[in-house]
Amino acid sequence: MKEQLKLLRESSLSAIAEAQTGEELEALRIKYLGKKGELTAILKQMGKLSAEERPVMGQLANEVRNALEASLEERKSAVSALMLEKRLADEAIDVTIPGKKQEMGHRHPMYTALDEIKEIFIGMGFTILDGPEVELAELNFDRLNAEEGHPSRDWSDTFYFDEDSRVMLRSQTSPMQVRAMDTMELPIRIIAPGRVYRKDEVDATHSPMFHQIEGMAIDKGITMADLKGTLNTVVEQLYGKGTKTRFRPHHFPFTEPSCEMDVQCHKCGGVGCPTCKGEGWIELLGAGMIHPRVLEMAGIDPNVYSGWAFGIGLERTAMRRFKIADLRLIFENDVRFLEQF
Ligand code: DAH
């Protein structure tokens, strides 16, 4: 029995010293000191001992129990210190590791160009209007003085929704002139950017969907000089002070007189180069004085009020602004292209 106690003491102490967790220690405590534990099993044999041997063995057993308990206690605090250390190491944050770079997107170059133009007009007191892309032919054509039989009303040019050619995808932003006249108080100063649609084949300068900006001012005493002054201001802000413009006579059904405005080539300064096809000038927009009949149809007296209007292609403006050679690049949305701006 003495031998058994000695063996128990040795094996249990070494098992406790190797325990790594609180659970392992608890299992060892039960194994050695529990009701059905090994020490209890040995003590059960006490009855077989003689009266002299019994107290000696009892004392020895108590010593073993005390040693085991002390060792369990000691190992328990060592293990919990160990666990704490391990957790601290596991949860440590290395603030010196380089962060993950956040990829930032940016505006599409065409909208950058649009924002610049909007800013300029807002600075001059204009209101920005938004309007429907599905439009009535009445507003897109009739109210703009383009009567039945006008070539742009042809089915080969325009996307209609119905047999009677009454509902269509707007072919220009000009119907926004009519919508403004019908809903706003005079005087009116607006620009209206947005998508327009025409049955054009896709190539380097054409797309069945593109963007225009419509501009319009109506007030008492507005003249062609106001139109030229406003557009010259815009061009100087877009392309730099001293940039020259040129106005050529043209025809639009809703303006009289009508003109096209060219801007001096930004690339060669007007001498002639491949960008301006040797002309020295680049066509920028259509404009004119609002036709008296258009004012009348909107219930505005052309003897009291007058106004100017213009329409500019946004893609072409952006292409010039960012020196983009092919219109298709603007719509394809290839990130490798867009990243350059
Ligand atoms: N709507 C015309 C077009 O799409 C552009 C235009 C020309 C608009 C003259 C105007 C204007 O307001 O006065 O070709």
Side-chain angles (χ1 to χ4, degrees), residues 106-125:
H106 62 74
R107 307 215 68 152
H108 189 287
M110 196 183 67
Y111 283 94
T112 304
L114 175 58
D115 281 352
E116 286 175 2
I117 295 167
K118 276 184 180 171
E119 281 300 317
I120 297 169
F121 278 98
I122 288 169
M124 295 191 288

Side-chain angles (χ1 to χ4, degrees), residues 217 220-232 289 306 308:
K220 286 173 184 162
I222 294 247
T223 70
M224 196 86 181
D226 297 305
L227 172 66
K228 292 179 85 167
T230 307
L231 291 179
N232 281 338
M289 297 304 291
S306 56
W308 55 249

Side-chain angles (χ1 to χ4, degrees), residues 171-172 174 177 198 212 214 252 254-255 286-288 309-311:
S171 63
Q172 50 186 359
S174 303
Q177 292 185 32
R198 290 180 196 176
Q212 288 186 332
E214 198 73 14
F252 297 105
F254 39 87
T255 42
F310 72 83

